[in-house]
Amino acid sequence: MAISIKKSSAEISETSSTSLPTEVLSQIEQNTKLDTTDYTRQSFDTPAEKGKRTDDLVQLKFSKGKRAEAKSFFSSYDLKMNQGFEMAYEFLKQEVNAGNVKISKSGFQRIKKAGE
């Protein structure tokens, strides 16, 4: 569709695709082929390829200050943040299972043993 503008009004006229040069038409045809692959029948149960990550992602929300503080803390021990949080989780889990720490929504509390 082409638009030609006259001083009095806009006039819309249709142009056929055959008015384009044959080279342009063949180039358009080559560059606009549709992907007809049927993706619905592919199995997603195949094992991950070597080098592909299969870890689940967990999103933690911190204020900018807390995030910077955590990053600085872990990097001072040459750890990435995910390594540090994994280690912290494992430590806390061991302490709770050993009965040394109690956790709840309001925080954590170290349980004092007799003689401490």
Side-chain angles (χ1 to χ4, degrees):
M1 186 178 296
I3 299 175
S4 58
I5 300 175
K6 294 182 179 179
K7 289 184 180 180
S8 60
S9 65
E11 180 181 305
I12 299 174
S13 63
E14 293 199 21
T15 59
S16 66
S17 62
T18 56
S19 65
L20 294 174
T22 313
E23 294 172 3
V24 174
L25 289 173
S26 64
Q27 188 176 12
I28 289 172
E29 187 177 321
Q30 289 175 359
N31 293 336
T32 57
K33 295 196 187 237
L34 294 176
D35 182 9
T36 58
T37 306
D38 185 10
Y39 291 103
T40 58
R41 295 179 188 234
Q42 290 184 355
S43 173
F44 293 102
D45 297 333
T46 58
E49 295 174 20
K50 186 176 180 179
K52 295 272 184 171
R53 292 186 61 140
T54 59
D55 301 342
D56 288 335
L57 297 177
V58 176
Q59 185 176 19
L60 301 173
K61 295 184 180 184
F62 289 102
S63 65
K64 287 183 181 181
K66 268 296 195 206
R67 183 187 182 285
E69 182 182 340
K71 187 170 185 171
S72 174
F73 175 77
F74 291 130
S75 66
S76 69
Y77 294 98
D78 199 26
L79 296 171
K80 293 182 180 179
M81 283 183 60
N82 64 321
Q83 292 171 319
F85 282 114
E86 286 176 6
M87 291 171 65
Y89 161 72
E90 289 297 327
F91 175 77
L92 182 60
K93 187 170 80 170
Q94 288 174 358
E95 290 295 299
V96 168
N97 290 339
N100 299 332
V101 175
K102 180 181 175 183
I103 59 174
S104 66
K105 286 182 180 181
S106 59
F108 67 93
Q109 178 181 13
R110 182 168 292 279
I111 299 172
K112 294 182 181 180
K113 304 267 180 172
E116 288 184 2

